[in-house]
Amino acid sequence: MIIADPRPARIRSELSKRNTIVVLGAKGGVGKTTIAVMLGVALKIMEKKVLLVDLDITDPNMHVAVGVDPERVMPGEKKGIEPININGVGFISISPYAKGRPLPLRGEDSINALRELLAATDYTGYDTVIIDTPPGAGDVTLDILNLLPNPKLVAVSTPSKFSIDSLRRFLMLLRDTNRRPKAVVYNMVRNERIKPGINEYIVHYDEELENAIGDLCRIAWTRAFEEIKPLASQLI
Ligand SMILES: Nc1ncnc2c1ncn2[C@@H]1O[C@H](COP(=O)(O)OP(=O)(O)OP(=O)(O)O)[C@@H](O)[C@H]1O
Ligand SMILES: [Mg+2]
């Protein structure tokens, strides 16, 4: 007997009631996690009840950006997994369960892990959910896109020619599935002359940001944060 997976329906029902933002990108290391966290802090300052979700299942590291030690902190569980509260921002990740160990999950297993995390989370009190994804359009990212009812997509790239080339294909792939990002962020821009088009944003390389990683209050004082604020207000 085949039993239908009850998790997608629960995930859709919880997330369709909330402003759901998915941060994604073709390449690794372009700043997806950093941008997701900065958007979370900006929206929190705009009085939104923000939940940050790390769905980079095999290599989660949003805990570094928000300053949580996954070997010491464990989310509580009452009516589901209770998000960890960091300066008023909720945080959910698989990392506390992995306790710093690698997670060699593949295909079906990684999809199971992400569905479990999304379905078991207690979203009470949150109106905005920001999801960080792994690089590229692999199983996890595609499953997230299929699971979520019309999320706002934010695509991140650096201004490098390689990254922009990959971004172009990534956006084509999204378009093939009738999805259009709400915004594209060119991150870590140094001297490149990039003229942002409609729905495009520029965040410069900011040395101070690297020092601020792990401290949400410090992140909010960086130049990069100032540059992401206009996008945050478009995502409300
Ligand atoms: N605007 C910026 N200025 C300076 N450093 C930045 C900026 N944005 C991100 N970084 C740094 O770049 C590195 C990679 O960022 P991040 O981990 O957010 O990328 P990612 O796309 O999420 O990577 P992965 O694909 O591995 O998940 C981090 O050390 C981060 O602090
Ligand atoms: Mg990341």
Side-chain angles (χ1 to χ4, degrees):
M1 188 172 64
I2 299 171
I3 300 172
D5 183 352
R7 296 171 299 184
R10 171 168 158 78
I11 296 166
R12 281 192 196 107
S13 131
E14 288 295 336
L15 292 181
S16 60
K17 295 180 226 156
R18 295 173 169 87
N19 182 17
T20 308
I21 298 160
V22 177
V23 181
L24 31 69
K27 285 219 173 290
V30 296
K32 297 178 293 299
T33 304
T34 312
I35 297 291
V37 169
M38 289 199 293
L39 286 174
V41 176
L43 287 166
K44 147 89 172 100
I45 292 171
M46 295 171 196
E47 316 251 300
K48 298 295 159 201
K49 311 270 186 298
V50 177
L51 175 62
L52 289 170
V53 183
D54 186 352
L55 285 187
D56 191 346
I57 295 291
T58 48
D59 190 25
N61 56 16
M62 196 184 243
H63 57 270
V64 177
V66 300
V68 164
D69 179 350
E71 295 190 41
R72 286 166 174 259
V73 179
M74 195 62 178
E77 282 193 40
K78 281 186 202 135
K79 283 188 287 168
I81 303 172
E82 290 173 359
I84 299 162
N85 185 324
I86 312 132
N87 302 106
V89 175
F91 171 59
I92 282 286
S93 168
I94 201 167
S95 56
Y97 305 98
K99 293 278 168 240
R101 297 193 54 76
L103 283 168
L105 300 174
R106 292 195 206 294
E108 204 55 29
D109 289 338
S110 51
I111 286 173
N112 251 323
L114 92 87
R115 289 186 177 191
E116 203 59 37
L117 199 67
L118 282 180
T121 294
D122 180 2
Y123 297 91
T124 312
Y126 295 99
D127 57 27
T128 304
V129 179
I130 302 181
I131 295 177
D132 183 27
T133 63
D139 291 346
V140 167
T141 303
L142 292 178
D143 197 52
I144 296 165
L145 293 178
N146 288 332
L147 276 174
L148 302 184
N150 210 11
K152 292 174 185 162
L153 307 182
V154 174
V156 183
S157 169
T158 69
S160 91
K161 288 178 182 166
F162 293 116
S163 187
I164 288 179
D165 182 57
S166 302
L167 174 74
R168 194 179 53 81
R169 276 189 301 277
F170 191 75
L171 295 182
M172 277 167 66
L173 198 134
L174 289 181
R175 218 173 300 133
D176 288 347
T177 58
N178 286 327
R179 292 181 179 95
R180 213 170 257 282
K182 184 101 177 131
V184 172
V185 178
Y186 293 103
N187 185 32
M188 295 194 252
V189 172
R190 289 174 192 257
N191 299 317
E192 300 88 345
R193 284 174 198 270
I194 291 191
K195 266 205 179 145
I198 297 166
N199 297 331
E200 292 185 343
Y201 295 80
I202 286 186
V203 176
H204 285 90
Y205 182 84
D206 180 354
E207 220 159 90
E208 191 44 44
L209 183 59
E210 187 62 44
N211 299 328
I213 289 295
D215 182 341
L216 296 188
C217 297
R218 270 185 83 180
I219 287 175
W221 285 100
T222 61
R223 175 188 177 194
F225 181 77
E226 281 306 309
E227 292 180 315
I228 209 70
K229 276 184 358 194
L231 169 57
S233 52
Q234 290 302 310
L235 293 171
I236 287 177

